[in-house]
Amino acid sequence: MLNALTTVLAAEGTHHEINHTLSWGIGGVILVIMLGLLLGLVSFGAGREHS
């Protein structure tokens, strides 16, 4: 119990700076990739008959 508490207190003491621009950029790239895959899936199935 004391070891876990010490670990939590030590983790609270460290602070890492987050680059929000990079985070938004990565999220935007992933969103574009996913939308492109979705568009490809919809266009591939557009000319096929439904079963």
Side-chain angles (χ1 to χ4, degrees), residues 13-48:
T14 60
H15 179 71
H16 298 286
E17 192 66 33
I18 297 173
N19 188 351
H20 293 288
T21 306
L22 180 62
S23 298
W24 277 97
I26 291 172
V29 169
I30 297 295
L31 180 64
V32 168
I33 290 171
M34 292 296 181
L35 288 175
L37 288 172
L38 182 64
L39 180 66
L41 179 66
V42 169
S43 65
F44 178 73
R48 308 183 112 203

